[in-house]
């Protein structure tokens, strides 16, 4: 327990610091090219991107 | 002082002790009583034989602030050789009796007659309430006065077989009930167990320890003529011949054959005569016994080694399945006993482990009591590992011993043995090897848990935990679920720094469900983090009453997102019928510590103590599996 406990605390610190959430239902993607930007740089959606579906 | 001549032989006799009623003529062994101004002969008594006692008539000492002198000496025979009792008179007029046994002396004062006590009511091991104290009867026996010298308080009758009961109480208190030849109304003698030094007798007044029975030191077995080197001839009453198995009696000053025993299956692991140092005392191995008990038809043997030190007396080493226990004599009165349940000694509770009938099978070497093969004793063991209290009782005697478990290496090192057998199984007083480990594990776990909470507190204190979006969404009745018509874009919001995201979704539901597809879009990089959260709530009632299932809200954590400007697009999915307006809320909290990880870490830190506890508990379960007294 002497070393294991230290590893647990270290592991906890690392995952909280990194914000890692491996078990969440998230998906990472990028917006496609048919999404245009406004002059101010804000993306204008045309309905072309459907959230990965 | 009263002086005169012996009525029998005319030798000079004198009374120096005011309490003495008779004096033994040192010339002819006549017991002389003073009667007014005359002396009267009461008969002859045997001459004392030299024993190993350091006391002698005429010695002066000081006890409890009062000077005393040894004025008389009785030698009794309880069936196991001569037993010395010394009559002392104090300067303040008190009188008492001193006896010596294995390095300790007992000083007893007369306490008058106790009415209403019957010899037949007192049995070894039983408790007794007397003179405002609790006592435990240790021995019940009888014996005769065989010899006397000096001055004595009353006449001695060598023909009278007197009965006595010895009992002990706490703090070394001892009581002897002298029933004489009668079976009721004993004379009470109360006193204490002392060290010889406490009597304050100057060393030059103590008799040097002579080795009686010196002629026995190099004796030969009467059966096989094998050489028997007696190492404590002044103490031994029985000798077991290691060559032929003959059991010999030593009590009469010479060896006499008693019976032939079966030879032990193997030689003693500690050779007879071997010396070893345990607890800063050098012990010599004098005797070796094999004892056993039989439980449900299975014989369980063990070995006992009798160790001797001239100033410390006798102790035992017990070897059972390779496990060793060091045993010391203990006064029964020092132990509070609840028979077959528990014992209390020295502030510790001992739990009853087993009660068996132990039989002595084999005997080798020398013994200070009249050991006999085939001798049965009821043996009860109470344990508080690594310690134990052992109670051995026979019809006339009960003996208590205090045991402490020894690692085999300790015995091996002490007696310089080449090898000792490896321990097998678990013995009652064996310390639980996992208990210390469990304690260490628990302490480390507590330490790490505290550090974990500290770290979690630091993360919580330094996290932003900031609500960056709290959006109420209304889905029109004509929208089609999962399509852009049920889609909603948030206003852009900023994430100041890299951090995770907690998503909270709540919907106005009643016997309905709704799924929210969310897409967090980084406006600068075009990276998208999508998630889906579905909530449902159903309620109703049936014959068992009302019921409810699900929840109208839910949450999830997203991994860390880089700093930047984001927009959240949400698309609702739901059962399109009936068509109606639907509402839901999405709340995003940035850089919110994930409590789930804290729970995971907490559980991981508890795994060690839980494992250690079960391992320790398993050891205890196996230990107590062989107990015949545990519940």
């Amino acid at each position: 327990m002497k070393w294991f406990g230290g590893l647990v605390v270290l592991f906890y610190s690392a995952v909280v610091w990194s914000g890692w959430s491996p078990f969440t239902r998230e998906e990472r993607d990028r917006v496609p090219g048919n999404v245009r930007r406004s002059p101010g740089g804000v993306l204008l959606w045309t309905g072309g991107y459907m959230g990965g579906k | 002082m009263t002086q005169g001549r012996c009525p029998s032989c005319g030798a000079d006799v004198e009374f120096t002790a005011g309490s003495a009623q008779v004096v033994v003529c040192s010339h002819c062994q006549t017991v002389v009583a003073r009667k007014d101004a005359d002396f009267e002969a009461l008969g002859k008594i045997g001459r004392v034989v030299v024993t190993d006692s350091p006391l002698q008539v005429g010695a002066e000492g000081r006890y409890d602030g009062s000077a005393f002198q040894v004025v008389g000496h009785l030698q009794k025979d309880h069936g196991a050789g001569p037993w010395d009792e010394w009559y002392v008179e104090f300067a303040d007029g008190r009188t008492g009796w001193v006896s010596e046994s294995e390095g300790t002396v007992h000083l007893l004062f007369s306490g008058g007659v106790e009415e209403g006590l019957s010899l037949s009511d007192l049995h070894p091991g039983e408790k007794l309430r007397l003179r405002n104290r609790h006592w435990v009867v240790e021995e019940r026996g009888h014996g005769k006065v065989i010899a006397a010298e000096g001055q004595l308080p009353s006449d001695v009758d060598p023909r009278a077989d007197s009965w006595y009961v010895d009992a002990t109480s706490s703090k070394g208190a001892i009581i002897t009930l002298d029933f004489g030849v009668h079976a009721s109304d004993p004379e009470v003698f109360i006193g204490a167990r002392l060290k010889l030094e406490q009597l304050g007798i100057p060393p030059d007044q103590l008799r040097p320890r002579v080795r009686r029975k010196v002629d026995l030191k190099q004796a030969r077995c009467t059966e096989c003529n094998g050489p028997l080197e007696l190492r404590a001839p002044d103490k031994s009453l029985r000798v077991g011949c290691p060559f032929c198995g003959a059991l010999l009696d030593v009590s009469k000053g010479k060896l006499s054959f008693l019976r032939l025993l079966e030879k032990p299956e193997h030689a003693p692991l500690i050779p007879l005569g071997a010396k070893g140092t345990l607890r800063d005392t050098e012990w010599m191995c004098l005797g070796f016994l094999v004892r056993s008990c039989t439980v449900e038809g299975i014989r369980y043997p063990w070995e006992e080694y009798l160790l001797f030190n001239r100033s410390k007396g006798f102790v035992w080493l017990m070897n059972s399945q390779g496990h060793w226990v060091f045993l010391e004599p203990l006064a029964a009165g020092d132990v509070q006993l609840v028979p077959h349940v528990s014992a209390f000694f020295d502030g510790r509770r001992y739990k009853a482990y087993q009660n068996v009938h132990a039989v002595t099978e084999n005997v080798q070497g020398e013994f200070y009591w009249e050991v006999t093969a085939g001798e049965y004793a009821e043996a009860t063991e109470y344990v508080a590992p690594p310690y134990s209290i052992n109670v051995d009782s026979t019809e006339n005697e009960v003996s208590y011993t205090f045991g402490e478990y020894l690692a085999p290496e300790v015995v091996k090192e002490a007696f310089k043995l080449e090898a000792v057998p490896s321990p097998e199984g678990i013995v009652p007083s064996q310390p639980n090897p996992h208990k210390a480990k469990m304690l260490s594990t628990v302490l480390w776990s507590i330490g790490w848990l505290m550090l974990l909470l500290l770290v979690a507190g630091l993360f919580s204190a330094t996290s932003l935990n900031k609500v960056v979006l709290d959006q109420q969404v209304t889905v029109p009745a004509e929208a089609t679920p999962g399509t852009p018509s049920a889609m909603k874009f948030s206003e852009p919001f900023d994430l100041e720094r890299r951090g995770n995201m907690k998503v909270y979704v709540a919907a106005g539901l009643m016997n309905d469900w709704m799924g929210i597809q969310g897409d967090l879009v980084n406006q600068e990089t075009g990276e998208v983090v999508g998630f889906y959260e579905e909530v449902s709530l159903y309620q109703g009632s049936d014959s068992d009453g009302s019921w409810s299932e699900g929840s109208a809200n839910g949450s999830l954590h997203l991994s860390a997102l880089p700093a930047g400007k984001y927009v959240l697009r949400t698309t609702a999915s739901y059962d399109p019928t009936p068509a109606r307006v639907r509402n839901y809320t999405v709340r995003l909290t940035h850089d919110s510590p994930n409590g789930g990880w804290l729970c995971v870490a907490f559980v991981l830190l508890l795994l060690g103590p839980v494992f250690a506890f079960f391992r320790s508990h398993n050891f205890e379960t196996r230990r107590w599996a062989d107990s015949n007294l545990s519940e």
Side-chain angles (χ1 to χ4, degrees):
Chain A
M1 204 60 207
K2 188 174 175 181
W3 305 113
F4 179 70
L7 288 175
V8 169
V9 174
L10 210 61
F11 173 72
Y12 169 78
S13 304
V15 294
V16 172
W17 181 79
S18 68
W20 187 44
S21 294
F23 307 114
T24 187
R25 299 177 293 281
E26 69 180 31
E27 292 176 353
R28 300 262 169 167
D29 208 339
R30 293 188 71 82
V31 293
N34 59 356
V35 175
R36 292 178 290 115
R37 287 184 182 274
S38 72
V42 176
L43 290 168
L44 297 173
W45 295 78
T46 60
Y49 176 66
M50 296 303 293
K53 290 188 176 180
Chain B
M1 181 186 293
T2 306
Q3 289 180 310
R5 293 188 178 279
C6 171
S8 180
C9 69
D12 290 338
V13 292
E14 64 178 11
F15 285 91
T16 58
S19 63
Q21 295 300 313
V22 298
V23 62
V24 179
C25 174
S26 57
H27 185 70
C28 68
Q29 291 302 114
T30 297
V31 179
V32 180
R34 51 182 167 187
K35 205 167 187 180
D36 300 326
D38 296 328
F39 285 175
E40 182 183 1
L42 299 179
K44 290 187 183 296
I45 190 80
R47 191 178 295 276
V48 296
V49 297
V50 177
T51 65
D52 195 45
S53 176
L55 299 175
Q56 57 186 342
V57 171
E60 295 178 337
R62 178 173 285 274
Y63 175 73
D64 204 17
S66 185
F68 68 84
Q69 185 179 31
V70 180
V71 295
H73 180 195
L74 283 182
Q75 231 165 31
K76 295 180 175 179
D77 187 357
H78 296 161
W83 167 266
D84 295 297
E85 290 188 359
W86 304 88
Y87 181 57
V88 297
E89 186 180 73
F90 284 81
D92 59 10
R94 289 182 297 158
T95 61
W97 289 92
V98 175
S99 59
E100 194 215 15
S101 174
E102 317 310 346
T104 59
V105 294
H106 300 110
L107 174 59
L108 299 164
F109 297 96
S110 177
V113 173
E114 183 71 28
E115 295 182 353
L117 270 183
S118 174
L119 181 67
S120 58
D121 294 337
L122 301 172
H123 301 98
E126 288 182 351
K127 292 176 185 172
L128 178 66
R129 175 82 183 169
L130 202 65
R131 307 292 169 101
N132 295 321
R133 289 195 80 140
H134 288 286
W135 305 89
V136 180
V137 176
E138 282 198 14
E139 185 180 358
R140 189 174 78 157
H142 60 96
K144 295 178 180 179
V145 174
I146 55 170
E149 63 175 333
Q151 303 164 77
L152 299 164
S154 60
D155 188 17
V156 285
D157 183 357
R159 297 163 302 175
D161 193 12
S162 298
W163 286 84
Y164 66 92
V165 169
D166 285 340
T168 56
S169 184
S170 57
K171 299 176 183 173
I174 185 167
I175 191 169
T176 293
L177 304 173
D178 188 348
F179 285 87
V181 295
H182 309 290
S184 61
D185 296 347
E187 187 174 0
V188 176
F189 293 89
I190 299 181
R193 183 180 66 235
L194 308 170
K195 289 291 178 191
L196 181 62
E197 301 78 47
Q198 290 178 269
L199 288 180
I201 301 175
D204 60 344
Q205 293 196 32
L206 292 174
R207 198 175 48 176
R209 298 266 187 184
V210 295
R211 300 289 180 88
R212 69 184 174 98
K213 305 175 187 172
V214 174
D215 53 329
L216 283 175
K217 283 199 75 175
Q218 295 292 338
R220 287 190 172 274
C221 174
T222 60
E223 287 304 290
C224 68
N225 204 33
L228 298 175
E229 186 184 347
L230 301 196
R231 295 166 181 93
D234 51 329
K235 300 285 184 185
S236 301
L237 295 177
R238 285 282 190 274
V239 176
C241 175
F243 304 107
C244 66
L247 184 63
L248 308 167
D249 177 78
V250 200
S251 62
K252 305 298 181 192
K254 60 181 181 179
L255 295 179
S256 54
F257 174 73
L258 290 172
R259 59 179 294 192
L260 200 61
L261 307 176
E262 280 186 28
K263 289 183 68 176
E265 295 168 357
H266 60 82
L269 293 170
I270 303 174
L272 297 176
K275 291 180 178 176
T277 302
L278 285 170
R279 297 189 173 177
D280 302 325
T281 302
E282 187 182 65
W283 304 97
M284 179 188 282
C285 181
L286 287 188
F288 170 69
L289 287 179
V290 177
R291 300 175 80 192
S292 73
C293 65
T294 302
V295 179
E296 295 176 350
I298 302 173
R299 171 180 168 269
Y300 296 93
W302 68 88
E303 299 172 348
E304 294 182 5
Y305 295 85
L306 178 63
L307 308 182
F308 177 64
N309 174 280
R310 195 155 284 280
S311 60
K312 297 283 182 69
F314 292 96
V315 295
W316 293 92
L317 262 182
M318 186 177 79
N319 170 31
S320 174
Q321 299 172 271
H323 299 271
W324 295 85
V325 178
F326 184 82
L327 295 157
E328 296 174 277
L330 191 64
D334 286 336
V335 181
Q336 288 178 290
L337 196 69
V338 182
H340 299 169
V341 178
S342 58
F344 297 87
F345 170 65
D346 205 17
R348 194 179 289 120
R349 178 180 183 270
Y350 297 76
K351 193 176 171 191
Y353 185 88
Q354 62 184 353
N355 174 255
V356 297
H357 281 90
V359 59
T360 303
E361 294 184 347
N362 296 114
V363 180
Q364 277 189 36
E366 302 164 62
F367 297 89
Y368 64 90
W369 79 102
E370 297 176 294
V371 63
T372 55
E375 179 179 75
Y376 275 90
E378 184 182 343
T380 311
E381 185 169 14
Y382 302 83
V383 298
Y387 307 111
S388 61
I389 300 287
N390 299 273
V391 182
D392 270 33
S393 56
T394 61
E395 188 180 348
N396 293 320
E397 192 173 4
V398 63
S399 61
Y400 285 49
T401 47
F402 171 72
E404 181 177 359
Y405 185 89
L406 295 181
E409 293 73 28
V410 173
V411 178
K412 182 182 174 186
E413 177 65 27
F415 287 91
K416 309 295 179 204
L417 304 177
E418 288 186 5
V420 289
S422 299
E424 293 176 18
I426 299 172
V427 293
S429 62
Q430 182 180 353
N432 185 335
H434 307 302
K435 210 166 188 174
K437 186 78 177 171
M438 181 176 72
L439 187 65
S440 162
T441 302
V442 167
L443 289 176
W444 274 106
S445 293
I446 290 173
W448 287 122
L449 279 170
M450 292 178 71
L451 184 63
L452 176 69
L453 293 175
L454 186 69
V455 170
L458 277 175
F459 276 123
S460 178
T462 57
S463 65
L464 288 174
N465 209 23
K466 181 181 178 183
V467 177
V468 292
L469 178 70
D470 193 355
Q471 180 174 259
Q472 309 285 329
V473 179
T474 300
V475 183
E478 63 273 17
T480 305
T483 68
S485 61
M487 192 178 285
K488 172 75 177 179
F489 284 90
S490 73
E491 291 297 316
F493 54 88
D494 289 320
L495 301 187
E496 298 170 18
R497 69 185 192 195
R498 183 180 178 280
N500 68 350
M501 186 73 78
K502 182 182 179 183
V503 179
Y504 172 79
V505 175
L509 297 176
M510 183 53 68
N511 291 326
D512 203 357
W513 66 275
M514 180 179 280
I516 306 298
Q517 170 64 44
D519 297 296
L520 266 168
V521 184
N522 188 323
Q523 296 291 293
E524 290 150 6
T525 63
E527 288 181 349
V528 178
V529 177
F531 61 88
Y532 180 75
E533 178 70 7
E534 187 173 295
V535 292
S536 63
L537 179 64
Y538 294 90
Q539 291 180 324
S541 63
D542 55 21
S543 57
D544 293 330
S546 58
W547 55 269
S548 173
E549 187 178 291
S551 173
N553 58 65
S555 66
L556 73 160
H557 274 88
L558 304 180
S559 296
L561 298 163
K565 186 181 287 292
Y566 284 81
V567 165
L568 174 66
R569 184 182 72 169
T570 53
T571 309
S573 299
Y574 46 85
D575 189 349
T577 56
R580 59 179 175 85
V581 175
R582 287 174 168 78
N583 299 300
Y584 65 89
T585 299
V586 178
R587 186 163 62 240
L588 300 181
T589 307
H590 180 227
D591 198 19
S592 170
N594 188 347
W597 283 123
L598 184 61
C599 290
V600 169
F602 206 85
V603 169
L604 285 174
L605 288 181
L606 288 178
L607 282 180
V610 168
F611 174 72
F613 170 78
F614 277 106
R615 197 167 55 165
S616 174
H617 185 262
N618 179 51
F619 183 90
E620 293 299 326
T621 303
R622 288 192 291 141
R623 178 207 304 279
W624 288 94
D626 290 333
S627 166
N628 64 1
L629 290 180
S630 65
E631 294 172 358

